[in-house]
């Protein structure tokens, strides 16, 4: 079935090069991901080796410069196209892992590292040999990044790190973990620094692969740091400037969440349209009932509005004009919309919509987290209100 959202505005966003990369990635996914997705969901993790396959095909870390093995492609639309390709197949777990690598973690390694660090880490990130994660959230901390309790204290030879993190995407698979820790106990915002913790560092331990409501194929872990001696060469950026550094990429992270959420919701709409057209009740198709038609009309309209807004935000980002409040608008509004539409789609499937054998049930469960991670939607509204001078 043709994608009902392949409209003129969408074609204006992606040119032939973007579409060629998306089509190439979809062919890769059909062969290498779709046949294994069910097993990944059961296992609770995507095999580390799969990221190597992605790297071999050039689908990881596109903005990395050629001197470090990358393609040197900084146009965010390519990343958006790759995320959409995952969602066209309902591969939410893979999209989350991949977006964390490409959209969330990579900018820190590109913008805040020195030449030696780039040489050490970027080439293997491009090939997928190094999977990345970001560890900011702590037990009891939630969205309050300034309340970090993990410490990294300089002892004259190295930083000694102690603490724990939770809800860490890619936490089991990760080889390089960007960790936020407090290096000055006297300051709140000004006493935080960023470090890269490597897989084999003594004192680094992984806890549980957390049992989540949705996104079962994507590993989410607890991490523990017990007297890890972190060399100064693993400090990212400037000591005690970590809080500001953590803020610089949030707009892209939130845009990625919004764009992927919309793409997944479009796929759910497509599944629902197919189901109600084929399924009958009381001697007629479910699609022929007035309530079904009206709900589908509402969803189609809302998705069209959302697509136009997301595409405008993506172009703003490409042009360096996406503000933090605009990204917050996109994140909260699209993920709220996703929740409403996923719920309607389950309802239109009837009892089958509650069965895990139907993809709509999984999509419904997968989608609940988007209103929480990347900054809870309540925080997004606070950002928008503050930008309006309401504080």
């Amino acid at each position: 079935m043709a994608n009902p959202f392949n409209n003129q505005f969408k074609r204006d966003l992606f040119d032939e090069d973007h579409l060629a990369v998306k089509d190439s990635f979809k062919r890769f996914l059909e062969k290498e991901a779709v046949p294994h997705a069910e097993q990944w969901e059961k296992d609770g993790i995507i095999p580390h080796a799969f990221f190597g396959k992605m790297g071999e095909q050039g689908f990881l870390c596109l903005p990395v410069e050629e001197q470090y093995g990358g393609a040197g492609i900084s146009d965010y639309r390519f990343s958006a196209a790759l995320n959409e390709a995952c969602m066209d197949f309902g591969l939410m777990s893979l999209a989350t892992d991949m977006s964390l690598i490409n959209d969330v973690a990579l900018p820190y390694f590109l913008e805040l590292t020195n030449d030696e660090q780039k040489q050490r880490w970027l080439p293997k990130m491009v090939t997928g040999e190094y999977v990345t994660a970001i560890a900011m959230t702590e037990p009891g901390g939630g969205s309050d990044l300034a309340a970090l309790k993990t410490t990294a204290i300089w002892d004259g030879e190295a930083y000694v790190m102690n603490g724990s993190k939770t809800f860490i995407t890619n936490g089991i698979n990760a080889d390089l973990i960007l960790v936020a820790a407090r290096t000055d106990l006297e300051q709140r915002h000004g006493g935080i620094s960023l470090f890269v913790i490597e897989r084999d560092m003594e004192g680094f331990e992984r806890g549980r692969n957390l049992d989540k409501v949705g996104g079962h194929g994507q590993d989410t872990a607890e991490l523990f740091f017990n007297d890890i001696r972190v060399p100064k060469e693993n400090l990212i950026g400037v000591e005690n400037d970590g809080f500001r550094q953590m803020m610089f990429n949030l707009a892209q992270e939130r845009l990625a969440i919004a764009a992927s959420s919309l793409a997944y919701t479009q796929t759910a709409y497509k599944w629902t349209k197919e189901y109600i057209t084929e399924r009958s009740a009381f001697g007629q198709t479910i699609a022929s009932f007035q309530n079904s038609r009206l709900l589908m009309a509402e969803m189609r309209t809302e998705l069209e509005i959302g697509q136009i807004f997301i595409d405008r935000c993506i172009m703003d980002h490409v042009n360096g004009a996406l503000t933090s409040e605009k990204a917050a608008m996109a994140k909260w509004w699209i993920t709220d919309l996703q929740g409403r539409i996923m719920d309607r789609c389950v309802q239109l499937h009837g009892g089958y919509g509650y069965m895990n054998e139907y993809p709509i049930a999984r999509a419904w469960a997968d989608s609940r987290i988007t209103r929480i991670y990347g900054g809870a939607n309540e925080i997004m509204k606070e950002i928008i209100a503050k930008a309006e001078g309401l504080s």
Side-chain angles (χ1 to χ4, degrees), residues 8-43:
Q8 183 60 46
F9 191 91
K10 192 67 173 176
R11 287 192 295 269
D12 286 346
L13 177 67
F14 293 141
D15 63 24
E16 292 181 0
D17 291 337
H18 302 114
L19 294 175
V21 169
K22 181 177 180 179
D23 289 344
S24 176
F25 189 45
K26 289 185 73 170
R27 289 193 297 272
F28 170 82
L29 292 174
E30 278 191 294
K31 180 182 178 182
E32 302 290 349
V34 173
H36 308 292
E38 190 65 33
Q39 189 61 49
W40 295 346
E41 292 286 313
K42 293 177 182 178
D43 294 342

Side-chain angles (χ1 to χ4, degrees), residues 147-161:
L148 296 179
K149 295 182 180 179
T150 296
T151 59
I153 305 302
W154 180 253
D155 73 351
E157 296 181 352
Y159 293 94
V160 180
M161 181 178 290

Side-chain angles (χ1 to χ4, degrees), residues 209-244:
N209 186 358
L210 298 169
D211 184 12
K212 307 185 295 294
V213 171
H216 292 150
Q218 180 271 309
D219 59 307
T220 303
E222 302 169 313
L223 305 178
F224 301 97
F225 315 108
N226 303 305
D227 288 327
I228 302 178
R229 296 189 66 79
V230 185
K232 191 171 185 178
E233 290 76 18
N234 281 37
L235 171 69
I236 297 296
V238 179
E239 184 180 271
N240 294 330
D241 195 33
F243 187 82
R244 183 191 63 81

